């Protein structure tokens, strides 16, 4: 389980999740290639959304590029 502010390192990628404020979080993904990164984004966001919904919360994912 990732805690806010933690960085998660795998063999292929780095994920950092931070609390922005007003109920919003920011996740940064760094991977060696697009395909690896997209797979990690999908797996991570699905896992987070499912955890929130399981506990009765509401969560969504919005991609902001730039």
């Amino acid at each position: 389980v990732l805690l806010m502010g933690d960085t998660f390192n795998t063999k292929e990628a780095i994920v950092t999740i931070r609390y922005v404020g007003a109920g919003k979080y920011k996740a940064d993904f760094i991977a060696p290639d697009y395909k690896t990164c997209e797979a990690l984004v999908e797996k991570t966001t699905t896992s987070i959304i499912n955890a929130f919904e399981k506990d009765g919360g509401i969560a969504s994912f919005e991609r902001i590029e730039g």
Side-chain angles (χ1 to χ4, degrees), residues 4-17:
M4 296 311 114
D6 283 354
T7 298
F8 175 70
N9 294 295
T10 69
K11 293 178 186 175
E12 299 177 338
I14 300 171
V15 178
T16 303
I17 299 177

Side-chain angles (χ1 to χ4, degrees), residues 4 11 14-15 22 26 30 39 48 54 57 59 64:
M4 296 311 114
K11 293 178 186 175
I14 300 171
V15 178
K26 178 181 180 191
I30 300 173
I48 291 169
K54 180 181 175 186
I64 300 174

Side-chain angles (χ1 to χ4, degrees), residues 3-60:
L3 300 175
M4 296 311 114
D6 283 354
T7 298
F8 175 70
N9 294 295
T10 69
K11 293 178 186 175
E12 299 177 338
I14 300 171
V15 178
T16 303
I17 299 177
R18 292 186 299 274
Y19 181 67
V20 178
K24 294 186 179 187
Y25 297 84
K26 178 181 180 191
D28 293 313
F29 298 85
I30 300 173
D33 59 69
Y34 179 80
K35 186 175 180 178
T36 301
C37 192
E38 283 300 310
L40 186 60
V41 168
E42 178 66 27
K43 183 177 179 179
T44 304
T45 57
T46 299
S47 176
I48 291 169
I49 290 169
N50 288 341
F52 269 88
E53 291 176 349
K54 180 181 175 186
D55 289 338
I58 299 171
S60 64

